[in-house]
Amino acid sequence: MAENEAIAAAFADGPAFIPYLAVGDPDYEASKAYVEALARGGADIIELGLPFSEPIAEGSTIQNAIVRALEGGMTPDRFFEFVEELDVDVPLVCMTYYNLIYQYGRSRGGEPGPEAFVERAAEVGISGFVVPDLPAEEADPLRAACDEHGLDLVFIVAPTTEGDRLEEMMERVSGYVYVQARLGTTGAKTDVSDQTTRSLQRLAEWDVPKAVGFGISSGDQAARIVANGADGIIVGSALVDIVAAGVNSERPVDETAEKLAAKARELAAGTREGAARRNADIADADSA
Amino acid sequence: MAENEAIAAAFADGPAFIPYLAVGDPDYEASKAYVEALARGGADIIELGLPFSEPIAEGSTIQNAIVRALEGGMTPDRFFEFVEELDVDVPLVCMTYYNLIYQYGRSRGGEPGPEAFVERAAEVGISGFVVPDLPAEEADPLRAACDEHGLDLVFIVAPTTEGDRLEEMMERVSGYVYVQARLGTTGAKTDVSDQTTRSLQRLAEWDVPKAVGFGISSGDQAARIVANGADGIIVGSALVDIVAAGVNSERPVDETAEKLAAKARELAAGTREGAARRNADIADADSA
Amino acid sequence: MSTDGKFGDYGGQYVPEALMPAIEELDDAYQRYVLDNEDGFMDEFRQRLADFGGRPTPLQRADRLSERYDLDVYLKREDLLHGGAHKLNNALGQVLLAKYMGKDRIIAETGAGQHGTATAMAAAHLDMPCTIYMGERDINRQRPNVFRMKLNGSDVKPVTAGRGTLKEAISETMRDWAATVESTHYVIGSVVGPHPFPAMVRDFQAVISEEAREQAHEKLGGLPDSVIACAGGGSNTMGAFANFVDDDSVDLYAVEAGGSSLAVDEEAGVAPNSASLSTGDEGVLHGARTKLLQDSVGQIMESHSISSGLDYAGVGPELAYLVDEDRVTPVAVDDDAALEGFHRLSQTEGIIPALETAHAFGYLEEHHAELSGSVIVNVSGRGDKDLQSAIEETEAREIPNAPDMSMFSEGI
Amino acid sequence: MSTDGKFGDYGGQYVPEALMPAIEELDDAYQRYVLDNEDGFMDEFRQRLADFGGRPTPLQRADRLSERYDLDVYLKREDLLHGGAHKLNNALGQVLLAKYMGKDRIIAETGAGQHGTATAMAAAHLDMPCTIYMGERDINRQRPNVFRMKLNGSDVKPVTAGRGTLKEAISETMRDWAATVESTHYVIGSVVGPHPFPAMVRDFQAVISEEAREQAHEKLGGLPDSVIACAGGGSNTMGAFANFVDDDSVDLYAVEAGGSSLAVDEEAGVAPNSASLSTGDEGVLHGARTKLLQDSVGQIMESHSISSGLDYAGVGPELAYLVDEDRVTPVAVDDDAALEGFHRLSQTEGIIPALETAHAFGYLEEHHAELSGSVIVNVSGRGDKDLQSAIEETEAREIPNAPDMSMFSEGI
Ligand SMILES: Cc1ncc(COP(=O)(O)O)c(C=O)c1O
Ligand SMILES: Cc1ncc(COP(=O)(O)O)c(C=O)c1O
């Protein structure tokens, strides 16, 4: 199984801060400014959502972002263009639903199947995928295409994922696992579930990085989660909320970008802070 | 079986013109003027409708008259008062539905049954009854009360009445039979059905007077029907139409009364004319 | 019933002479086809009720109501009959009979439209031209039912006379019939009118209790202790009672619409209820002697109920007789109790009853403590037709178990 | 079906990881209770379908249509099922299954409200708290159904996200389920979604063809030549086909909504039809691989039909498979033909069908000459819910057999 080097590098020197935004929300240009703001704010990896019309795994925050992006004219080809034009220096992970990946070949006159999509993604500089509606059992064709192009395939591990299913997933995962902090769909929440801790324990035996997402909205939370052992934190809705607020209050794009950068800085700092605490704990434990 | 003398007298010197009006239409005083106008116009007998809330045997013309009369406050007791006060010199027949006849005793604190109603009717000078929803089979109590007070009970013979039913009816009838000119309910029509002729033939063997009604609206028709052998003609809707027109155009009561009198004169004249023609025919036949 | 069309002193044939041949002809057809199954009429009727109507309807144990009332409550599910009410049993029977009689046209009157829709369905099914008279005001209040009749190919004739409601429609239908008796059959919608209608409609509806009695033997191992049915004209009532009348151990309850009050307003000629069995006096209406809501001189009173199908001043003569004989217990529940029954059955058993039917459940809710053992309630119809009224009437009152319906305050 | 939840390449479980345990648990329950009748589950299900639902529903010969088309037309009368459509077969099965699984809460999404009302009824009947998600726009278009759900005690939650229609309601229900899988069962309304739903819903609906097959033996003396059913998600379709699939002599027709045209508007992302079997491509939607209406890059297209119950961009994976295998013939009729079918059945047989069902009759009207012998048409539901749309849509067109509806131009 290939491992994408850029992603591996992002986790190499400590826990990673991984923000998410829906690409094209609310339009192409603004969206570019927002993603670049995240990079500026300290993102180690960025998850770029390619909007699908039926986002069954999303909370309403991201669902609304997707509706805005689609209304703004986002398509797979525009998405690739977007990535190509993007001026950032961090690895990019494409988060989308399987039907868009599967149909892309056909849209270019070929057969349906993931190869064409992955090839094009690799071309524009994508480093990996998260596909929330693709279970490990159905993932072999996409896994194979990723391997061919040196891309990672990230799976989401739910609090309820265990036993055989977990095995199957861990056999196919690369880059990092997306540890779902709690049941439910995406959406900013203030509590940090101790389901997270249990999940991290269950995953301890595998040495792939574990990035925790779902409901993280503050630097504080990020710090606590990383202190608890996470190798990364993924933040989506809390950032999309800023974009949505900007849209609703018709704020200028650069102001919203600045707010996003600030939030990213807070979260990145929280991530480092958590890492420091954890190292201190380990040091404590060592010295005890 | 009693025979009411006044009614017998009305048929004694030739065919009778028998108009109908709903009492109290559109109000007590106007109604009195209208009935008196009919008498003035040459009525030989007058049928006075006591309005019942569910007049199932009436056409819409008379149904609407009944609604007006009820809204004008007509009740059985007001009806009797009306008859008592009426200044006309022709026999009066009360036309109403059986429930009003049946309940009157109870309304005066006694038992239900026709006696009280008939007694009171006799008192105020009614000479007979027509009860369109009372079949001969159910008529014995009313017949008995009529006999006691010397009142007639008129039955309606439909074009379809024959055999045993006709026998039963003819056994109980007195005064005259109401020969229904055609199927259907009351209402002014211009054609004179030849069902009438057949009905008259069927009834020939009984010597009770045969008055034809349902749909007669002109002196001409009256003449033809009487010429065909009828002993009387009954006219309701054509007269009620005049009352209704008066109500609708808010015509003064005396004008409407005058129109009614004029119509009555036309119909009475038609009746005499028919009688003359029949006598001539008979004379012709005799001389042939 | 004696053969002269009387139930004690009730019943008879108080109709205009012009209609007598028609009802005599009908009586003859009733005797031959219905009572004697001539030409296999009843077999065809039963087969069509099964295939077209969906009979037998279930006798369902209502587990949750049984628990609530500490009774064995069984529901006879006439709401599942095609059209959504017991009305089709009768309409199909009469339209088929008209065919056997060689008639080529059907007329009927309808108030709320339930009988009209049932007749229109039966007429379409049997390819009989059909005219339905309906008061103009009722047409405006019951548009979905009017539309259903038209969809089924019936000619709906608005009656503008008088107040434009059921009574004027009845007169208009009589008028049509009086003029067309030879070709036309008048389908009366309940166990009312002149003989043979009360007996014939009862016999068509008796399939309800015929099935229920058999189903009770299967499910309860014997007879129920009581049978409860709402009563307007009384056709679902007589249908539900007929095969239990001779079982003296079975108590029969006819639940009338108590409206807003059992007292009457003589002055206005209005009875704010439709409880003719409970409060009416003997009299003659629409062709039969029966118990009526009338004022002291015998004018028929305007009745009232939130359920238009119970809103009638008369009642079937046989029911009047059975009440006088103490065989049937007449009871009444008011509009509020009926709405409570409506919500109770909807919430507790997942069955939304017609507002007519809801009276039976209102009675159960209020009086279950007086009952014991097993009870069959006749679910005479479903409530889809009543959603709008149920919202409005519920909003106008304090019904303890009503759901929050604020979102519907502007109508559905 | 193979045991991995696939029908050929179709089907599968394309769901967020958080739901996998729930659908694995459900799959286990499906195997045990439904397939192996553990604890007598299927016996209780069948008994409740009979008593509460009114099964069996008749297989009725449609005499007048048979004559018109020179065929033996038989109607499988699912319109007589409690609630007025086949939907209850599935809803009752799933709510009961949830009870057996020890769940204490039910959720469902609904578009037109048919599945929601069926679920609300079943939940009331079985005393299960129930939440129904429904797009805000759909709520406003389907108020009577919303009211029925509330009357049955369900909590109807308006979904305001996006356009406020079915797709947003589905997402919202998924969201609820993802957060509450342990206590809650999600009742999917058709043979769609991840395994085991397509197989399980088919098995609950298969009672339709189980009965029909037996009834055909009684009434036709053998198998029918064809079975016709409308197809949205395809649950009434698979229910009507399931027990005939192995009978090669029986032709199976799935009638889809052809809408206004079978062509698509890529630009607008709109397919003015819902004919995914006839015109769709393979893809992944709502948890399963199946045939879909999608644009060239794989975004799901907005579908269209006058019947909201057919208005869905996907279709059950098993149907997609049976079409690829040439076992099921996919056909489509347009809105006009569906309305003609609607009026035809109403006028000719006295049965007002749902607009969904009307597509099957539109097909019969247009293509009867291509059929021969005996045909069973599945009358998946009754049209009471559709009266308003039927008026509006009929008025907007030239439908040859439409009745005069001018009196309804201001609505019913
Ligand atoms: C459902 C239902 N139940 C009862 C009635 C009352 O009629 P009856 O007393 O004749 O059964 C009606 C009349 O429309 C009705 O629709
Ligand atoms: C009466 C009726 N028929 C058919 C359908 C379409 O669903 P399916 O294709 O799952 O049977 C619906 C959906 O609401 C319906 O209500």
Side-chain angles (χ1 to χ4, degrees):
Chain A
M1 218 158 47
E3 294 278 349
N4 180 275
E5 284 171 23
I7 290 180
F11 287 100
D13 40 62
F17 161 49
I18 312 174
Y20 162 97
L21 279 181
V23 168
D25 173 25
D27 60 53
Y28 190 95
E29 289 305 330
S31 184
K32 208 183 301 163
Y34 299 158
V35 172
E36 287 166 0
L38 296 179
R40 243 184 4 257
D44 297 303
I45 297 171
I46 300 180
E47 288 186 357
L48 295 176
L50 162 56
F52 178 54
S53 54
E54 320 292 312
I56 58 171
E58 313 300 344
S60 53
T61 306
I62 293 180
Q63 182 175 28
N64 286 332
I66 286 172
V67 170
R68 286 192 299 268
L70 287 172
E71 281 170 357
M74 189 41 57
T75 65
D77 279 327
R78 292 281 283 160
F79 175 84
F80 291 131
E81 218 179 298
F82 181 98
V83 176
E84 231 165 5
E85 291 179 8
L86 212 53
D87 184 19
V88 298
D89 199 21
V90 293
L92 301 171
V93 169
C94 167
M95 177 145 182
T96 194
Y97 286 76
Y98 193 57
N99 200 48
L100 293 187
I101 296 175
Y102 184 74
Q103 302 300 336
Y104 191 70
R106 172 154 52 204
S107 80
R108 318 208 85 190
E111 286 294 293
E115 297 75 17
F117 190 91
V118 175
E119 186 183 335
R120 179 80 181 115
E123 237 171 68
V124 299
I126 289 288
S127 297
F129 294 103
V130 187
V131 190
D133 69 340
L134 185 68
E137 291 83 346
E138 304 285 352
D140 288 345
L142 178 59
R143 178 72 264 179
C146 285
D147 284 349
E148 198 180 319
H149 297 279
L151 267 57
D152 280 333
L153 180 55
V154 173
F155 285 105
I156 299 173
V157 171
T160 45
T161 310
E162 39 189 42
D164 288 353
R165 293 203 40 71
L166 185 56
E167 298 278 348
E168 295 219 32
M169 213 174 268
M170 297 313 285
E171 261 167 39
R172 290 175 178 83
V173 77
S174 70
Y176 55 98
V177 285
Y178 185 142
V179 179
Q180 183 176 329
R182 52 172 175 74
L183 283 179
T185 45
T186 56
K189 288 277 158 77
T190 46
D191 66 311
V192 180
S193 162
D194 51 29
Q195 287 183 318
T196 310
T197 320
R198 282 200 300 275
S199 292
L200 291 172
Q201 280 160 359
R202 209 161 62 249
L203 292 168
E205 57 178 288
W206 286 278
D207 70 356
V208 60
K210 289 116 202 139
V212 174
F214 271 54
I216 301 174
S217 58
S218 70
D220 243 37
Q221 283 176 311
R224 259 179 293 140
I225 290 168
V226 171
N228 273 333
D231 301 312
I233 60 145
I234 303 173
V235 179
S237 300
L239 300 165
V240 171
D241 278 340
I242 295 172
V243 176
V247 170
N248 293 338
S249 58
E250 297 177 26
R251 197 178 280 143
V253 170
D254 51 357
E255 272 180 40
T256 297
E258 204 28 66
K259 283 182 190 285
L260 281 167
K263 189 73 189 176
R265 277 190 291 271
E266 171 195 336
L267 292 159
T271 307
R272 317 281 173 251
E273 156 74 18
R277 261 194 252 159
R278 181 165 49 165
N279 291 336
D281 284 355
I282 294 168
D284 280 4
D286 280 356
S287 67
Chain B
M1 217 158 45
E3 294 279 346
N4 180 276
E5 285 171 20
I7 290 181
F11 286 101
D13 40 61
F17 161 51
I18 312 175
Y20 162 98
L21 279 181
V23 169
D25 172 25
D27 61 53
Y28 190 95
E29 289 306 327
S31 183
K32 207 185 296 166
Y34 298 158
V35 172
E36 287 166 359
L38 296 178
R40 246 183 4 257
D44 297 302
I45 296 171
I46 300 179
E47 288 186 357
L48 296 176
L50 163 57
F52 177 54
S53 54
E54 321 291 312
I56 58 172
E58 314 300 343
S60 52
T61 306
I62 292 179
Q63 183 175 28
N64 285 331
I66 285 172
V67 169
R68 287 193 297 270
L70 287 172
E71 281 171 357
M74 188 44 55
T75 64
D77 279 327
R78 291 284 281 161
F79 174 84
F80 290 131
E81 216 179 298
F82 181 98
V83 176
E84 229 166 6
E85 290 179 9
L86 209 56
D87 184 19
V88 297
D89 199 22
V90 292
L92 302 171
V93 169
C94 167
M95 177 145 182
T96 193
Y97 285 75
Y98 192 57
N99 201 48
L100 293 187
I101 295 174
Y102 184 75
Q103 302 300 338
Y104 191 71
R106 173 154 52 203
S107 80
R108 318 209 86 191
E111 285 294 292
E115 300 73 19
F117 190 92
V118 174
E119 186 184 336
R120 178 80 182 117
E123 237 172 68
V124 299
I126 289 289
S127 296
F129 295 102
V130 187
V131 189
D133 69 339
L134 185 68
E137 292 83 347
E138 303 285 353
D140 288 344
L142 178 59
R143 177 73 263 180
C146 285
D147 284 350
E148 197 181 320
H149 295 281
L151 266 57
D152 280 333
L153 179 54
V154 172
F155 285 104
I156 300 173
V157 172
T160 45
T161 311
E162 39 189 43
D164 289 353
R165 292 205 39 72
L166 185 56
E167 298 277 349
E168 295 219 31
M169 212 174 270
M170 297 314 283
E171 261 167 37
R172 289 174 179 82
V173 77
S174 70
Y176 55 98
V177 285
Y178 185 142
V179 181
Q180 183 177 328
R182 51 173 176 74
L183 283 179
T185 44
T186 56
K189 288 276 156 80
T190 46
D191 66 311
V192 179
S193 159
D194 51 28
Q195 287 183 320
T196 310
T197 320
R198 283 201 300 275
S199 291
L200 290 172
Q201 281 159 0
R202 209 163 62 250
L203 292 168
E205 57 178 289
W206 286 278
D207 69 356
V208 61
K210 289 118 202 136
V212 174
F214 271 54
I216 301 173
S217 58
S218 70
D220 242 38
Q221 283 177 311
R224 260 180 292 141
I225 290 168
V226 170
N228 273 332
D231 302 313
I233 59 143
I234 303 173
V235 179
S237 298
L239 300 165
V240 171
D241 277 340
I242 295 174
V243 176
V247 171
N248 293 338
S249 58
E250 299 180 25
R251 197 177 280 144
V253 170
D254 51 359
E255 272 179 41
T256 296
E258 203 29 65
K259 284 182 189 287
L260 281 168
K263 190 73 189 177
R265 277 188 292 271
E266 173 196 333
L267 291 158
T271 307
R272 317 278 172 251
E273 155 75 18
R277 263 196 249 160
R278 178 164 53 163
N279 291 336
D281 282 356
I282 294 168
D284 279 4
D286 281 356
S287 68
Chain C
M1 184 200 60
S2 60
T3 49
D4 61 354
K6 295 284 178 68
F7 307 93
D9 282 339
Y10 296 109
Q13 301 180 311
Y14 293 82
V15 295
E17 180 56 28
L19 295 179
M20 285 304 281
I23 63 178
E24 286 185 340
E25 185 191 349
L26 183 64
D27 192 19
D28 174 66
Y30 166 57
Q31 308 267 353
R32 291 195 288 123
Y33 296 120
V34 181
L35 299 184
D36 301 339
N37 192 25
E38 196 175 300
D39 298 343
F41 171 84
M42 284 302 283
D43 303 325
E44 180 172 351
F45 170 54
R46 291 303 176 93
Q47 190 61 46
R48 288 188 186 270
L49 268 187
D51 288 353
F52 176 61
R55 303 213 72 91
T57 60
L59 183 71
Q60 178 205 337
R61 186 166 192 282
D63 295 337
R64 298 184 61 197
L65 283 187
S66 296
E67 197 179 324
R68 179 176 177 86
Y69 298 137
D70 197 18
L71 291 168
D72 268 315
V73 180
Y74 283 83
L75 309 176
K76 181 59 179 163
R77 297 290 305 278
E78 294 301 295
D79 62 305
L80 293 176
L81 200 66
H82 182 48
H86 69 290
K87 294 279 174 192
L88 185 74
N89 294 324
N90 169 47
L92 187 64
Q94 287 197 47
V95 178
L96 188 63
L97 189 63
K99 260 209 134 102
Y100 274 64
M101 290 168 74
K103 303 288 177 188
D104 55 24
R105 178 170 172 264
I106 283 297
I107 57 176
E109 95 294 324
T110 195
Q114 287 307 103
H115 173 56
T117 54
T119 304
M121 283 175 170
H125 174 66
L126 292 165
D127 199 9
M128 278 285 242
C130 175
T131 298
I132 312 264
Y133 291 95
M134 190 165 179
E136 191 149 63
R137 200 163 137 222
D138 284 339
I139 284 185
N140 286 323
R141 291 190 291 189
Q142 307 284 345
R143 296 173 79 78
N145 274 342
V146 178
F147 186 48
R148 290 165 80 196
M149 292 180 247
K150 294 198 115 187
L151 285 176
N152 286 146
S154 281
D155 185 15
V156 181
K157 289 232 164 98
V159 178
T160 52
R163 293 191 195 79
T165 61
L166 179 62
K167 58 195 276 180
E168 289 84 12
I170 292 177
S171 296
E172 193 70 31
T173 318
M174 291 266 187
R175 219 167 278 158
D176 180 322
W177 204 30
T180 59
V181 278
E182 276 156 34
S183 64
T184 299
H185 175 66
Y186 176 6
V187 180
I188 285 188
S190 192
V191 287
V192 300
H195 177 74
F197 283 105
M200 182 176 72
V201 175
R202 174 205 59 206
D203 289 351
F204 288 141
Q205 293 289 1
V207 65
I208 300 173
S209 50
E210 187 184 309
E211 287 174 7
R213 200 166 187 286
E214 212 171 281
Q215 290 163 324
H217 274 95
E218 275 163 36
K219 302 212 165 187
L220 291 79
L223 291 167
D225 293 298
S226 331
V227 178
I228 303 180
C230 69
S235 66
N236 92 89
T237 336
M238 280 312 304
F241 293 173
N243 287 277
F244 293 110
V245 166
D246 292 339
D247 300 314
D248 289 338
S249 71
V250 181
D251 294 333
L252 307 174
Y253 294 91
V255 187
E256 298 191 289
S260 56
S261 156
L262 289 182
V264 304
D265 181 346
E266 268 271 342
E267 188 88 355
V270 174
N273 61 66
S274 308
S276 21
L277 286 175
S278 311
T279 71
D281 295 312
E282 188 198 341
V284 174
L285 174 66
H286 292 148
R289 182 181 296 238
T290 185
K291 289 183 189 284
L292 308 179
L293 300 179
Q294 52 189 331
D295 67 14
S296 61
V297 300
Q299 301 288 10
I300 307 309
M301 281 199 281
E302 242 184 86
S303 56
H304 163 79
S305 167
I306 45 165
S307 75
S308 41
L310 299 186
D311 199 348
Y312 180 59
V315 66
E318 188 172 10
L319 269 176
Y321 170 73
L322 291 171
V323 164
D324 282 2
E325 297 287 299
D326 284 336
R327 182 64 194 95
V328 166
T329 309
V331 294
V333 299
D334 67 14
D335 291 341
D336 286 26
L339 283 168
E340 195 173 343
F342 175 84
H343 292 297
R344 180 68 60 211
L345 190 70
S346 302
Q347 284 158 4
T348 311
E349 295 289 344
I351 301 169
I352 303 174
L355 281 177
E356 291 80 9
T357 314
H359 285 75
F361 290 95
Y363 180 73
L364 198 58
E365 178 86 9
E366 282 190 344
H367 295 273
H368 57 92
E370 297 152 33
L371 300 166
S372 63
S374 55
V375 182
I376 293 179
V377 186
N378 193 36
V379 186
S380 58
R382 59 172 146 89
D384 302 54
K385 69 184 180 64
D386 290 323
L387 298 181
Q388 182 66 49
S389 333
I391 289 171
E392 287 169 12
E393 300 289 352
T394 300
E395 283 221 320
R397 293 172 168 80
E398 295 281 322
I399 307 297
N401 60 341
D404 171 24
M405 299 194 294
S406 47
M407 69 185 294
F408 296 104
S409 35
E410 278 152 53
I412 56 172
Chain D
M1 185 199 57
S2 60
T3 49
D4 62 353
K6 293 283 177 68
F7 307 94
D9 283 339
Y10 297 108
Q13 302 181 312
Y14 293 81
V15 296
E17 180 55 28
L19 295 179
M20 286 304 284
I23 64 178
E24 286 185 341
E25 184 191 350
L26 183 63
D27 193 18
D28 174 65
Y30 165 57
Q31 307 269 352
R32 291 196 287 123
Y33 296 121
V34 180
L35 298 184
D36 301 337
N37 192 27
E38 198 174 298
D39 299 343
F41 171 86
M42 285 303 283
D43 304 324
E44 179 171 352
F45 170 55
R46 293 305 176 92
Q47 189 62 45
R48 288 191 187 269
L49 269 188
D51 289 353
F52 177 61
R55 300 213 73 90
T57 61
L59 183 71
Q60 179 206 336
R61 186 169 192 281
D63 296 337
R64 298 183 62 197
L65 283 188
S66 296
E67 197 179 325
R68 179 175 177 86
Y69 298 137
D70 198 16
L71 290 168
D72 269 316
V73 180
Y74 283 83
L75 310 176
K76 181 60 180 162
R77 297 290 305 279
E78 293 301 296
D79 61 305
L80 292 176
L81 199 66
H82 183 47
H86 70 290
K87 294 281 174 190
L88 186 74
N89 295 323
N90 170 46
L92 187 64
Q94 287 198 47
V95 179
L96 188 64
L97 188 63
K99 258 207 133 101
Y100 273 64
M101 290 169 72
K103 303 287 177 189
D104 55 24
R105 179 170 171 265
I106 283 297
I107 57 176
E109 96 294 325
T110 195
Q114 288 307 104
H115 173 56
T117 54
T119 304
M121 282 175 172
H125 174 65
L126 291 166
D127 199 9
M128 278 283 241
C130 176
T131 298
I132 313 263
Y133 291 95
M134 190 167 180
E136 191 149 63
R137 197 160 140 228
D138 285 339
I139 285 186
N140 286 322
R141 291 190 292 189
Q142 306 285 345
R143 296 174 79 78
N145 274 342
V146 178
F147 187 48
R148 289 164 82 197
M149 293 180 247
K150 296 199 114 187
L151 285 176
N152 287 146
S154 280
D155 185 14
V156 181
K157 288 233 164 95
V159 177
T160 52
R163 293 191 193 79
T165 62
L166 179 61
K167 57 196 274 181
E168 290 83 12
I170 292 176
S171 297
E172 192 70 32
T173 319
M174 292 265 185
R175 217 166 281 156
D176 180 322
W177 204 30
T180 59
V181 276
E182 275 154 36
S183 64
T184 298
H185 175 67
Y186 176 8
V187 181
I188 285 188
S190 192
V191 288
V192 300
H195 177 76
F197 284 106
M200 181 176 72
V201 175
R202 174 206 59 207
D203 289 351
F204 288 141
Q205 292 289 1
V207 64
I208 300 173
S209 51
E210 186 184 311
E211 286 174 8
R213 199 165 188 284
E214 210 171 284
Q215 291 164 324
H217 275 95
E218 275 163 35
K219 302 212 165 184
L220 292 79
L223 290 168
D225 293 298
S226 331
V227 178
I228 302 180
C230 68
S235 66
N236 91 90
T237 336
M238 280 312 306
F241 293 173
N243 287 277
F244 294 110
V245 166
D246 292 338
D247 301 314
D248 289 338
S249 71
V250 181
D251 294 333
L252 307 174
Y253 295 91
V255 187
E256 297 192 290
S260 56
S261 157
L262 288 183
V264 303
D265 181 346
E266 268 270 344
E267 187 87 357
V270 174
N273 61 67
S274 309
S276 21
L277 286 175
S278 311
T279 71
D281 295 313
E282 189 198 340
V284 174
L285 175 66
H286 292 148
R289 182 181 296 239
T290 185
K291 290 183 187 284
L292 308 179
L293 300 180
Q294 52 188 331
D295 67 14
S296 62
V297 301
Q299 302 287 10
I300 307 308
M301 282 201 278
E302 242 185 87
S303 56
H304 163 79
S305 166
I306 45 165
S307 75
S308 41
L310 299 186
D311 199 347
Y312 180 59
V315 67
E318 187 172 11
L319 268 175
Y321 170 73
L322 292 171
V323 164
D324 282 1
E325 296 288 299
D326 284 336
R327 181 66 194 93
V328 166
T329 309
V331 294
V333 300
D334 67 13
D335 292 341
D336 286 27
L339 284 168
E340 195 173 342
F342 174 85
H343 291 297
R344 180 69 60 212
L345 190 69
S346 302
Q347 284 158 4
T348 312
E349 294 290 344
I351 300 169
I352 302 174
L355 281 177
E356 291 81 9
T357 314
H359 286 74
F361 290 95
Y363 180 73
L364 198 58
E365 178 87 8
E366 282 190 347
H367 295 273
H368 58 92
E370 297 153 34
L371 301 166
S372 63
S374 56
V375 181
I376 293 179
V377 186
N378 192 36
V379 185
S380 58
R382 58 171 146 89
D384 302 54
K385 69 184 180 64
D386 290 324
L387 298 181
Q388 182 66 48
S389 335
I391 290 171
E392 285 168 13
E393 300 289 351
T394 300
E395 283 220 323
R397 294 171 166 80
E398 296 280 323
I399 307 297
N401 61 341
D404 171 26
M405 299 194 293
S406 45
M407 69 185 293
F408 297 103
S409 36
E410 278 152 54
I412 55 174

